[in-house]
């Protein structure tokens, strides 16, 4: 009986060493996730883009109301740059990786002053009032 127990122990240790060397199959090089991927349409972030986009939720993610509000402001043209967007992390929020991919598409340009008409001479900065 003792001999059988020792043989089984040696076989188990041998299989463990064999598995440790990767001889029984290895993990795939890319991690496999079971999270939904979402759907990010091509093109800039517009009202049509938001209508077609599907942002999945995760166990922990960006606050959905804050993300929706920010993306609505992007469409309106009143949103700050995507680099300045900060969202709270909450349970049941949008998947952070998918939202970050959408934010990479936000093309934001700060508004600039309109150039003066061509027939108007440039202001003379050398004179000071008063």
């Amino acid at each position: 009986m003792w001999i059988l127990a020792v043989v089984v122990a040696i076989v188990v240790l041998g299989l463990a060493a064999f598995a440790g060397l990767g001889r029984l199959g290895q993990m795939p090089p890319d991690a496999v996730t079971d999270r939904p991927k979402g759907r990010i349409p091509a093109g800039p972030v517009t009202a049509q883009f938001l209508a077609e986009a599907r942002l999945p939720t995760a166990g922990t993610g960006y606050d959905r109301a804050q993300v929706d509000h920010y993306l609505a402001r992007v469409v309106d043209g009143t949103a700050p740059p995507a680099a300045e967007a900060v969202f709270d992390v909450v349970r049941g929020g949008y998947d952070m990786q998918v939202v970050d991919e959408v934010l990479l598409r936000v093309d934001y340009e700060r508004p600039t002053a309109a150039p003066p008409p061509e027939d108007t001479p440039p202001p003379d900065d050398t004179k000071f009032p008063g």
Side-chain angles (χ1 to χ4, degrees):
M1 183 69 166
W2 285 102
I3 295 175
L4 181 62
V6 171
V7 169
V8 168
I10 290 174
V11 169
V12 168
L13 290 174
L15 285 174
F18 206 63
L21 294 173
R23 308 282 174 137
L24 296 178
Q26 297 178 352
M27 294 286 291
D30 297 326
V32 177
T33 62
D34 59 351
R35 293 183 299 176
K37 297 289 184 197
R39 186 166 153 240
I40 303 174
V45 179
T46 61
Q48 178 70 23
F49 177 94
L50 294 180
E52 295 175 7
R54 298 291 175 256
L55 302 178
T57 58
T60 304
Y62 291 140
D63 185 290
R64 292 166 33 174
Q66 291 175 352
V67 172
D68 291 340
H69 178 70
Y70 178 79
L71 292 176
R73 289 182 62 196
V74 167
V75 171
D76 293 343
T78 60
E84 295 177 11
V86 177
F87 308 113
D88 294 334
V89 177
V90 297
R91 288 182 159 233
Y94 285 134
D95 185 327
M96 291 185 265
Q97 291 175 338
V98 176
V99 172
D100 290 343
E101 287 181 37
V102 171
L103 292 180
L104 290 175
R105 294 190 182 207
V106 174
D107 292 330
Y108 180 84
E109 295 180 15
R110 293 193 179 273
T112 57
E118 291 183 23
D119 59 341
T120 306
D124 187 8
D125 293 337
T126 60
K127 296 180 182 178
F128 296 101

